[in-house]
Amino acid sequence: NLQTTQTVFSGAVLMRRQFAETSATGGLPIPPGRTALAVKLDDPERVAGFVQPGSKVMVFANVNEQAALLLKDAPVVAVGPSTAATTSVDGAADDSNSKDDPSTVVTFALTPEEATKVVAAVSNGQLYLGLLPS
């Protein structure tokens, strides 16, 4: 009843943290009692792109210039797709995009209470992730 949370390459050493319980929700490894919640983050907010499926992260919120720790140990179940900053034909940055950082959708497996905190923070401010050791 386990599914890989990241790509497995031929000859790679397999570790338990690379697997999670499966669910009937499109193949995302969502543990019982949790729900998948996706948020769009720029590269700096997701530790310069080092957050990957299987990562454990701290989730911080910056609301009204006040930072707070929302979650101490949130599991990441999926990352992607990414969007790059757009440029015009002459190589100049597209003014319709105010940020130059690529954005990526990060999906967490959260309890309903945790998901409520994250949704409120996204609606009122900005999220930042802190990568925890494996």
Side-chain angles (χ1 to χ4, degrees), residues 3-112:
Q3 172 178 324
T4 59
T5 58
Q6 53 194 251
T7 304
V8 177
F9 297 99
S10 177
V13 175
L14 300 177
M15 293 182 265
R16 173 65 176 101
R17 68 183 170 109
Q18 293 174 294
F19 297 87
E21 292 184 27
T22 60
S23 70
T25 57
L28 281 177
I30 305 168
R34 296 189 172 250
T35 186
L37 179 72
V39 295
K40 185 171 132 181
L41 299 170
D42 294 332
D43 275 353
E45 288 82 9
R46 64 179 187 97
V47 193
F50 286 101
V51 172
Q52 299 297 321
S55 294
K56 297 279 186 167
V57 297
M58 296 175 81
V59 180
F60 300 91
N62 186 14
V63 178
N64 298 325
E65 298 183 22
Q66 295 291 318
L69 175 63
L70 289 183
L71 307 174
K72 292 182 180 181
D73 188 13
V76 176
V77 294
V79 176
S82 294
T83 59
T86 58
T87 57
S88 64
V89 175
D90 64 2
D94 182 354
D95 290 337
S96 64
N97 186 3
S98 62
K99 288 191 171 188
D100 293 332
D101 296 326
S103 295
T104 301
V105 176
V106 177
T107 305
F108 303 99
L110 304 175
T111 65

